[in-house]
């Protein structure tokens, strides 16, 4: 759900019967908030400095960082230099500030901040390589009880052998030991989208992703356009990235919190974070009720007169793909998990380490959850086999011979076939809503669910959450539907067919008349006159989110249409490729309604249809199926409508608009149509933009975690601006990256990011099958949100991309993604264990194999001859025939032929028997 911002009105245009596409770079305003004139601030005096990698500037009065541009790119700045004047006052944090929480024996924790009430700093004499130095103790202020800080704080900016570094030296000036339980350095980078159109935002702004890996931790600051150079913030000795603490907006902070910033957090600004070296003081207070932290919280103690220096280094990587090579060049430990850091208990993962110091030991927390067994090394990488047991979060701690510790965070799941069964069961039983008397005609339905209260949400002040539409209300029934695509269960399919025919058609979706096919925003609404005794008085019904009947019946939000199209399309596939699963209508009925939903979106919701839609890839599948079924008139009309959108996107530099000022929603569908219509340069541009907000990092939470930080407002129980872990964007943005990898299988980076996002999309599912909207990354929670919200959009992404990949990498060797792989010479065997077992990519051959019925039990690939032997599961009552499709996706790759089957709708029908069936694919 996205309703924080809305576009200012524009005039709709029409070209014949095809809605014209409106400009993407439009002005945005907060809901209900008038535009205010900008204040004018006096300029800030700065000291300009140059290093081999950067042009930078420090504020003359505070020596905090005011400007940081990569050499030769003066128009771009990693920090918000353009807002330096408006952020100059007390209470605004900058790189160069510090937060300290400490105590002495018998005292409580006391807090000190260099940004809260600035005082004159005392410049210090420089030295070799010192760019600026100062004693900033006076700016640390007094504690809440008026006590002076028992530490002296000195800060130095250094150019050490061409590398920019920032260092703090803390000296205990008291006569008693001082324990430091909170030690953070604000990391302030220009992630502010406010007042920027899409073109300028992509050119000027950056996002930050943390690897919270202790001594091996780092930050990567990547530009929205995905281009290099990227900035890396690296720890010096004794400066672990133990936690990544959000710096709360001052107006939202609790009384007594001085580690704040006055800059607003909103959809147009995620806010800033502390590189937190020590966190025990937070773990004992604000985080006491949180889930498991990324690392064990620690503190450090200074004896009287003792000092401690911490520091960070700033380096550039020439590109996002070169980040790991840059880490190696800077003698940092590097970890690469294959296929990632989400490990089902029936699969074996690999961990590759390239480090300047030898591995001394590897430990698991919880003990026994993970085992790492050394395998053959090669090309400078140490390889470990990783197996998992149990369920949930776990981590490996790698201790090196030089004493440094690196942590790698994993998530353990059930075998994926069981995960699929769990979500299918939970959505169609625990979330199944049926009964007489619902005034909104939601019966039968699958409604949102509250896991804390273990109840269906029949009411919510955000009416869509209880109304089956918008992402926050459609998520659960879309997830239930997508589970059936590759894992159909007859009783679940029967319920979903009822849901579509009795509740979607005619209630959520207009069934007859001139607007047939159009989709409402919500079928639940707030009308106390019509229903005076229905609404829960404990819920706030005064917000704009409590839509009236008129607002809920609005047909103009295009983002609701893909959800409904998915329902029809899945039932079409189930009816077409299986026997006896779908009983109320034939396959053509459902494909026709999928088509009619698509056309209605362009007719009745043309404004937002100018943007890429979440789950918009379903429209590509619908169009392909119309063509395969020779429904020529329908296919021609739909293709023309989609071509008009694609032609418009080609005219834009960054055609990724949405309801928001910036979003990670539209890129997948934009990419899909660029590829469909062979607009390859625009597809390539979209791919690189996605990599700008979708990282690969040694952590289950951040690996493939496409950026999103506002949708807890619209689909979460704890409603706040917060970096979300594996919100639906993770799996949706994996869709184009998988396709891009299959186009270019030498680019392993694409596959690693994609697989991280796809597998991230199942971590939301708990042991009983409840699917959470997303994980709360802030350390005061570190747990899954308690309601389902918009999770189903992510499960759609997981379901359509679930596959196994056979890869041969020149550095890492033979690799299996999604299945256990063994290789002996040129003979490679893989047993798929992904959640579908219907899709397989043989990367060296560029061969993409898909089944729309049947399952792959195993595959054998001969790298010398190129032959692939598929072993298919036996027939089942509903799938006596496999439907096989295959294509070569790489330029110059050999075409393949098959030794069995009957040609059928662009593929092959393969009769299955009571035992396994083998199919041989050979290069022509």
């Amino acid at each position: 759900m996205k309703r924080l911002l809305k576009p200012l009105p524009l005039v709709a245009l029409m070209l014949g019967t095809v809605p014209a596409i409106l400009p993407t770079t439009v002005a945005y305003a907060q809901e209900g908030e008038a535009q205010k004139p900008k204040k004018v601030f006096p300029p800030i005096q700065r000291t300009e400095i140059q290093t081999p990698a950067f042009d930078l500037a420090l504020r003359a009065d505070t020596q905090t960082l005011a400007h940081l541009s990569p050499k030769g790119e003066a128009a771009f700045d990693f920090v918000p230099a353009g807002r330096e004047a408006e952020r100059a006052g007390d209470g605004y944090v900058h790189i160069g500030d510090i937060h300290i929480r400490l105590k002495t024996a018998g005292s409580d924790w006391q807090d000190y901040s260099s940004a809260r009430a600035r005082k004159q700093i005392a410049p210090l004499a420089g030295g070799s390589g010192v760019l600026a130095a100062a004693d900033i103790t006076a700016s640390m202020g007094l504690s809440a009880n008026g006590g002076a800080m028992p530490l002296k704080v000195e800060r130095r900016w250094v150019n050490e052998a061409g590398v920019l570094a920032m260092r703090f030296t803390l000296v205990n000036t008291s006569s008693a030991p001082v324990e430091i339980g909170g030690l953070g350095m604000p990391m302030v980078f220009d992630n502010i989208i406010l007042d920027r159109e899409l073109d300028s935002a992509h050119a000027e702004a950056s996002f930050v992703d943390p690897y919270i890996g202790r001594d091996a931790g780092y930050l990567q600051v990547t530009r929205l356009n995905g281009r290099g150079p990227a900035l890396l913030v690296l720890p010096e000795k004794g400066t672990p990235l133990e936690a990544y603490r959000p710096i709360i907006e001052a107006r939202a902070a609790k009384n007594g919190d001085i580690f704040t910033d006055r800059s607003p957090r909103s959809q147009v600004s995620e806010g800033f974070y502390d590189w937190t070296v020590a966190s025990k003081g937070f773990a004992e207070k604000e985080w006491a009720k949180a889930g498991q932290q990324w690392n064990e919280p620690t503190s450090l103690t200074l004896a009287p007169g003792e000092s401690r220096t911490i520091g960070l280094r700033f380096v550039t990587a020439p590109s996002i793909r070169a980040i790991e090579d840059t880490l190696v060049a800077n003698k940092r430990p590097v970890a690469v998990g294959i296929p990632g850091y989400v490990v089902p208990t029936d699969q074996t993962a690999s961990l590759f380490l390239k480090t300047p110091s030898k591995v001394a030991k590897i430990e698991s927390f919880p003990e026994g959850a993970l085992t790492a067994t050394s395998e053959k090394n090669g090309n400078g990488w140490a390889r470990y086999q990783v197996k998992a047991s149990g369920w949930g979060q776990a981590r490996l701690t790698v201790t090196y011979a030089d004493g440094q510790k690196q942590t790698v965070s994993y998530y353990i799941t059930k075998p994926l076939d069981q995960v699929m069964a769990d979500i299918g069961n939970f959505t169609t039983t625990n979330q199944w809503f049926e009964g007489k008397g619902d005034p909104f005609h939601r019966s039968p339905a699958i409604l949102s669910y509250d896991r804390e209260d273990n109840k269906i949400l029949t009411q919510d002040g955000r009416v869509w959450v209880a109304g089956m539409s918008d992402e926050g209300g459609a998520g659960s029934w879309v997830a239930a539907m997508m589970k059936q695509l590759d894992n159909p269960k007859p009783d679940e399919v029967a319920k979903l067919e009822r849901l579509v025919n009795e509740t979607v058609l005619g209630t959520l979706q207009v069934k007859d008349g001139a607007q047939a096919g159009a989709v409402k925003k919500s079928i639940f609404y707030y009308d106390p006159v019509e229903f005076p005794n229905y609404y829960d008085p404990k819920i706030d019904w005064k917000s704009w989110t409590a839509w009236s009947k008129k607002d809920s019946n609005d047909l103009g939000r295009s983002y609701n249409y893909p959800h409904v199209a998915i329902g029809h399309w899945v039932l079409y596939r189930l009816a077409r490729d299986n026997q006896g699963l779908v009983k109320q209508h034939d396959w053509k009925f459902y494909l026709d309604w999928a088509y009619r939903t698509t056309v209605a979106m362009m007719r009745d919701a043309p404004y937002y249809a100018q943007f890429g839609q979440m789950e918009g890839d379903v429209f590509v599948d619908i169009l392909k199926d119309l063509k395969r079924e020779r429904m020529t008139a329908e296919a021609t009309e739909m293709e023309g409508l989609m071509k008009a959108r694609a032609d418009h996107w080609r005219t834009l530099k960054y055609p990724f608009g949405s309801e928001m000022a910036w979003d990670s929603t539209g890129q997948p569908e934009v990419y899909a149509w660029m590829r469909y219509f062979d607009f390859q340069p625009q597809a390539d541009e979209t791919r690189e933009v996605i990599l700008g907000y979708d990282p690969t990092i040694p952590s289950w939470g951040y690996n493939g975690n496409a950026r999103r930080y506002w949708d807890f407002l619209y689909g979460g129980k704890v409603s706040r601006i917060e970096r979300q872990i594996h919100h639906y964007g993770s799996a949706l943005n994996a869709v184009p990256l998988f396709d891009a990898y299959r186009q270019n299988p030498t680019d392993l980076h694409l596959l690693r990011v994609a697989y991280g996002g796809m597998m991230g999309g199942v971590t939301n599912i708990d042991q009983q099958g409840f699917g959470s909207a997303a994980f709360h990354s802030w350390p005061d929670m570190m747990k899954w949100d308690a309601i389902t919200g918009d999770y189903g959009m992510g499960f759609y992404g997981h379901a359509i991309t679930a596959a196994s990949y056979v890869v041969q990498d020149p550095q890492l060797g033979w690799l299996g993604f999604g299945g256990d792989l063994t290789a002996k010479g040129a003979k490679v065997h893989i047993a798929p264990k992904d959640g579908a077992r219907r899709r397989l990519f043989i990367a060296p051959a560029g061969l993409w194999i898909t089944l729309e019925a049947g399952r792959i039990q195993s595959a054998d690939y001969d790298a010398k001859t190129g032959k692939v032997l598929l072993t298919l599961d036996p027939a089942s009552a509903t799938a006596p025939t496999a439907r096989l499709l295959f294509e070569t996706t790489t330029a110059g790759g050999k075409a393949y032929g098959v030794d069995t089957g009957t040609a059928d709708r662009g593929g092959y029908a393969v009769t299955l028997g009571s035992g396994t069936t083998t199919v041989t694919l050979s290069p022509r």
Side-chain angles (χ1 to χ4, degrees), residues 724-746:
Q724 296 172 275
I725 285 181
H726 297 313
H727 180 263
Y728 68 70
S730 293
L732 288 185
N733 281 277
V735 179
L737 296 183
F738 275 122
D739 179 85
Y741 173 74
R742 293 193 296 269
Q743 219 184 346
N744 180 17
T746 62

Side-chain angles (χ1 to χ4, degrees), residues 12 107 174 180 247 260 270 335 365 369-370 487 501 610 778 788 825:
S107 73
S174 74
I180 302 174
I247 302 171
T260 62
E270 182 184 347
F365 178 83
L370 298 164
N487 296 276
N501 287 302
Q610 69 176 299
W778 283 9
T788 48

Side-chain angles (χ1 to χ4, degrees), residues 572-584:
Y572 152 72
R573 281 285 183 95
L574 294 176
R576 191 67 165 106
D577 299 321
N578 299 271
Q579 290 186 3
L581 277 178
V582 177
K583 299 178 179 180
Q584 293 191 24

Side-chain angles (χ1 to χ4, degrees), residues 86-87 89-93 248-251 260-264:
E86 68 186 70
R87 299 188 68 255
D90 289 348
Y92 289 99
V93 295
I248 304 300
E249 183 182 352
R251 65 181 179 179
T260 62
D261 183 74
R262 289 169 58 191
S263 302

